[in-house]
Amino acid sequence: MRVTGKLRELERLVDAWKRRGETIGFVPTMGSLHEGHLSLVRHAKKENRKTVVSLFVNPLQFGPDEDYARYPRDPARDRALLKKEKADLVYAPSVKDFYPPGFQTAVAVKELSRSLCGARRPVHFAGVATVVLKLLNAVRPDAVYLGQKDYQQFRVVERMVRDLGVPVSVKMAPIVREKDGLAMSSRNIFLSPAERRQAPHLHRALEKGRALIESGVKNACDARKAALRILSRASGARLDYLEIVDAVTLRPVVKLTEGARILIAAAVFFGKTRLIDNVLAEVKK
Ligand code: AMP
């Protein structure tokens, strides 16, 4: 496994693979890897000859009051995990190399960035779209692998790729969860033992919403209320949002019409730690 922080070296390795006609799968991450990230690496490896993983805590996607400085970082452990998975190349640039002085470009995927997390984190998705486009330009993969965990991010990247004609296929892999349903996240290590015990209520609440939608409830407000009732059992949890939206446009849905594909997405604070999760539901015919 090669590890580099230098764009030139990354490009040289990629050029050599491309000359040999080898397909490339790419997994962008912010490091502090867990099984969710590793599942993406396994997907990429299964479908491509070469797999590239980036480790980069992207400052552009954090707001001024967010946790950029304390975001967990453990590059040595990440490299060991990726070696075990037999990734071919790890790209871990410094902020200074990735965004040299004078860098000032931003990519805006306007509408899809406005709802859900985007309404609370106004700079977040422009930061995501910008870093992902720059990484795609460097790695030039055949496919990029993203987790459903960050569903809105997946839709934003998919839209950007389509709108700007980036030659890559965007693939989404399912959410990897702990045994009690909590979605794996690099931020879970911030939870106190008491918060960790309450955190699975988030997934339970979303599942309640899905069960109601799939059992034929006609009004999304009823599903939302039932989900919120479950969430209210989590002592100390503070709701950021829980919304029921169209799974493609991410616009709010009220009437659940047959065949509609629905996303139930939420962000909840457990103490200082903000966790996100989502489930997809289909309104039965
Ligand atoms: P991050 O390092 O948090 O930026 O995540 C990098 C990629 O891993 C993103 O595409 C995430 O959606 C994905 N990811 C994070 N957590 C999970 C999870 N629990 N299951 C599946 N994918 C995940």
Side-chain angles (χ1 to χ4, degrees):
M1 185 181 82
R2 301 286 287 264
V3 181
T4 184
K6 301 292 168 213
L7 190 60
R8 280 282 155 70
E9 193 182 346
L10 169 81
E11 285 170 346
R12 218 176 35 244
L13 289 163
V14 167
D15 284 343
W17 293 339
K18 291 211 168 265
R19 272 199 302 276
R20 296 203 294 265
E22 292 177 319
T23 56
I24 300 172
F26 175 46
V27 181
T29 82
M30 298 206 296
S32 264
L33 302 181
H34 51 65
E35 276 298 313
H37 299 111
L38 300 181
S39 77
L40 297 177
V41 176
R42 288 171 203 142
H43 272 96
K45 274 198 74 78
K46 210 184 306 161
E47 296 178 3
N48 301 276
R49 285 294 296 274
K50 298 289 180 189
T51 296
V52 180
V53 182
S54 63
L55 304 172
F56 181 60
V57 184
N58 172 34
L60 294 190
Q61 69 190 67
F62 290 80
D65 300 326
E66 294 181 0
D67 57 353
Y68 174 68
R70 63 179 214 120
Y71 193 84
R73 292 163 171 87
D74 194 346
R77 180 176 168 275
D78 291 344
R79 286 197 297 272
L81 286 170
L82 292 172
K83 198 165 168 194
K84 225 158 109 196
E85 294 299 327
K86 299 191 168 61
D88 297 283
L89 173 59
V90 174
Y91 176 50
S94 68
V95 172
K96 200 160 67 12
D97 282 349
F98 197 78
Y99 297 125
F103 185 94
Q104 56 189 283
T105 299
V107 180
V109 181
K110 293 182 199 162
E111 215 177 293
L112 285 169
S113 300
R114 273 190 207 125
S115 59
L116 307 175
C117 281
R120 282 88 193 162
R121 306 183 71 190
V123 300
H124 178 66
F125 288 110
V128 167
T130 305
V131 77
V132 171
L133 182 59
K134 188 164 161 122
L135 287 166
L136 291 175
N137 283 338
V139 179
R140 291 160 282 150
D142 296 273
V144 59
Y145 295 81
L146 305 172
Q148 185 194 322
K149 166 81 188 337
D150 298 88
Y151 186 87
Q152 189 172 12
Q153 168 173 291
F154 164 74
R155 285 290 178 211
V156 164
V157 170
E158 182 190 57
R159 187 77 245 172
M160 172 190 75
V161 158
R162 200 178 307 159
D163 288 352
L164 300 182
V166 186
V168 68
S169 69
V170 183
K171 308 219 174 179
M172 185 176 79
I175 301 177
V176 178
R177 299 181 178 280
E178 303 285 357
K179 281 204 183 73
D180 58 11
L182 176 64
M184 289 193 183
S185 162
S186 305
R187 290 185 171 98
N188 289 352
I189 58 160
F190 291 138
L191 298 169
S192 70
E195 289 159 1
R196 174 64 187 82
R197 281 194 296 277
Q198 298 302 317
H201 279 101
L202 170 53
H203 179 236
R204 266 175 236 146
L206 298 173
E207 280 298 337
K208 179 71 183 179
R210 167 158 64 189
L212 284 176
I213 289 172
E214 296 198 334
S215 70
V217 152
K218 287 284 162 266
N219 192 311
C221 299
D222 295 334
R224 181 172 184 272
K225 271 188 216 142
L228 287 175
R229 266 199 300 278
I230 302 281
L231 198 57
S232 69
R233 293 183 196 156
S235 68
R238 185 164 59 82
L239 181 70
D240 193 6
Y241 70 83
L242 188 151
E243 287 179 32
I244 297 181
V245 297
D246 179 279
V248 178
T249 64
L250 307 185
R251 290 200 198 110
V253 165
V254 178
K255 247 176 72 207
L256 297 164
T257 48
E258 281 182 7
R261 292 186 58 221
I262 301 294
L263 175 77
I264 315 174
V268 175
F269 285 95
F270 292 86
K272 284 203 179 95
T273 308
R274 182 178 180 274
L275 301 182
I276 58 168
D277 199 353
N278 66 79
V279 299
L280 289 163
E282 195 171 335
V283 184
K284 297 266 157 57
K285 295 216 167 105

